[in-house]
Amino acid sequence: MSDKTTQPDQLPSTGQPSSTSASPVSSGAESNPEAKVAIEIKDFDAFYGDFQAIRNINLNIPEKTVTAFIGPSGCGKSTLLKWINRMNDIVPSAHAKGSIRIGDLQILDRQTDVVDLRRRIGMVFQKPNPFPKSIFDNVAFGPRLHFRIDRNDLAELVEWSLRKAAVWDEVKDRLHKSALGLSGGQQQRLCIARAIAAGPEILLMDEPCSALDPGSTSRVEDLIYELREQYAIVMVTHNMQQATRCSDRTAFFFKGEVVEEGPTEQLFTNPKEKKTEEYVTGKFG
Amino acid sequence: MTSNSANATETPSFESFHRRNPTVSKISQTLVMTALVGCGLFSLAITIGIIVMLATQSIGFFYNEEVAVNFWQFLTDSRWTIGQTQGVPRYGILPLVSGTLRITGIAMLISLPIGLTCAIYLAEYASPRVRSILKPVLEILAGIPTVVLGFFAIKFITPWLLQPLGDFKTFNAGSAGIAVGILCLPLVTSLAEDALRSVPNSLREGAYGLGSTRLEVTLKVVVPAALSGIISAFLLALSRAIGETMVVALAAGSTPTLTGDPRVPSQTMTGFIVETFQSESIEPDSIGYYSMYAVAAVLFLFTFSITLIGQLIRMRYREVYN
């Protein structure tokens, strides 16, 4: 247990983060401009083979904040997201220049230990992708990879993660049943619990609600909004209402560049750039 | 077609078109339906026909004028002497079963671990280039006639591989088992590879995203997710090995032995049927004639129960991804 220094602090089940009733109010007002930087992106270019998917992006992603990436398809927002935890390593033609840092860690460095990097940066995917294992084993997957942890601590960690992901009440009686029996929305919250259980500081979410029905979407959105108290969250979304509902800051991407970045409310109501205004008012996209 | 483009802007006069005759499509529908049902019934009829043949003929083994074989003796006696002329005839099928199990066991010991490892390599590790070379090689191996593998076992595996290791006879269960294992290898590899490749990539991404190494992704996520397909591959290989005839008829010898020793000759159920069928002394309605059917029925029960187990396992472990 000594190596669990980066675990979320209130590990034992202190209380349930379930507030599914109250929908989060419009968010921009609550963003804190003095928040510390969680991810610093500087002069970043990314390529697939010869194609340049991202041009010279400079962006700071603050701690304990939900940052939404919006923009039309193919604008590079998912590519940037996948570079933050080096998921693009799997893509043979992908390469990048510039710098992405979390703390002192230079992510793009060849020597960077991607195993530990991905533990520190959790990822939630577009389609819920629970492993065909029990609910418990899904959540325990990350901890078992990274920590030497005894049974009781593991069980506690699993419960804590499931509570944190607001899915505990629905699964507590069927922890050892297959995760594939859950509904899509439950599966996605399970995947969030699975990401949290590895003890990350940052959560990356790639259109986390695009495969969910409206009811499940609003539950996952509530959850994302609550999780920002503990994590820096970066969320790619195609849904502008979703960005206004649950993000503090928004970055608008267009053709591989960040056109504008700022507090969500301001970006949507009073954008500085013409292109942003055209996009958020639905003139294209 | 340029001449048409001028008219393409006007709404076509649909009323003037000649309607297709609905009776024609109804008749063709019926014909296709009949053909489909017919083909389905055909395979069903063949299966039933074979079962009926095996059942009625093997009853002759237990009820006939010459020697009615005691059913209990058939299942438990430790010797099988049909085809041998001297001594009191003994009709215990255990030595033949033992031969089949020994050779099948050795074949599985060879083909399952190697086949699964190859499949994992091909599906998860090999670059597309390497795979494009290895897959055809595997197919060539699958295409080798079993008779060639049979004398490969006698001429190569026995003298060069096994005899330096111990007192292996010229015909022995070991070399036949290894040859049958080689025979099953491409089958296990390609079916298990299919199972591994059908695991959705989203699961691999999920595992990578949690900080798994490639080995962890493979062993902790992909292989368990493909388990039902892998087990199916194993069971199919098992059926194939139990039913394999040519290799064992050539390389395993023709002496039924009830033992676990891979060094001595051993006759399998299939080997016995081939040998009896070919021997000229077999007359219709003789005990030897009926014995073939009795052995074939036992063989059928073996493969049938494996198929059944396979179905049960598939139902139990099948994962439905959405």
Side-chain angles (χ1 to χ4, degrees), chain A residues 160-221:
Chain A
W160 175 85
S161 308
L162 288 166
R163 281 185 189 280
K164 195 90 186 150
V167 69
W168 171 253
D169 286 336
E170 291 152 74
V171 302
K172 64 183 176 201
D173 300 322
R174 52 199 285 203
L175 286 177
H176 297 284
K177 298 248 167 67
S178 170
L180 299 182
L182 298 175
S183 73
Q186 289 170 330
Q187 287 188 1
Q188 194 62 306
R189 279 176 284 147
L190 175 70
C191 290
I192 293 172
R194 185 175 71 183
I196 294 171
E201 303 140 37
I202 296 163
L203 290 176
L204 307 177
M205 303 199 177
D206 190 0
E207 299 184 46
C209 300
S210 65
L212 305 183
D213 62 72
S216 305
T217 298
S218 96
R219 301 202 64 178
V220 172
E221 284 176 358

Side-chain angles (χ1 to χ4, degrees), chain A residues 29-101:
Chain A
E30 293 182 38
S31 67
N32 175 7
E34 280 145 46
K36 277 196 279 177
V37 173
I39 311 171
E40 184 198 73
I41 302 164
K42 256 192 181 161
D43 305 327
F44 181 73
D45 296 303
F47 306 82
Y48 292 108
D50 294 334
F51 171 72
Q52 184 161 9
I54 287 179
R55 280 168 211 282
N56 192 34
I57 284 184
N58 288 282
L59 190 63
N60 285 341
I61 293 174
E63 275 185 344
K64 301 187 179 181
T65 308
V66 180
T67 303
F69 287 0
I70 62 168
S73 297
C75 64
K77 53 196 192 307
S78 284
T79 302
L80 178 59
L81 194 77
K82 284 179 184 164
W83 272 110
I84 295 175
N85 70 347
R86 293 261 304 261
M87 280 302 273
N88 268 328
D89 285 12
I90 312 174
V91 183
S93 68
H95 53 111
K97 284 193 306 211
S99 141
I100 303 179
R101 283 198 310 130

Side-chain angles (χ1 to χ4, degrees), chain A residues 87 90 115 118-119 121 123 125 127 129-133 141-142 145-146 178 180 187 194-195, chain B residues 202-213 216-217 219-221 224-225 319-322:
Chain A
M87 280 302 273
I90 312 174
V115 167
R118 289 175 187 160
R119 185 191 63 72
I121 306 179
M123 185 150 199
F125 296 83
K127 248 178 62 182
N129 58 351
F131 302 133
K133 299 171 182 288
F141 193 90
L145 281 182
H146 299 289
S178 170
L180 299 182
Q187 287 188 1
R194 185 175 71 183
Chain B
S202 62
L203 293 187
R204 291 185 185 86
E205 286 177 355
Y208 278 120
L210 286 166
S212 310
T213 61
E216 286 162 341
V217 172
L219 294 184
K220 294 185 176 169
V221 174
E319 305 293 359
V320 183
Y321 302 103
N322 42 358

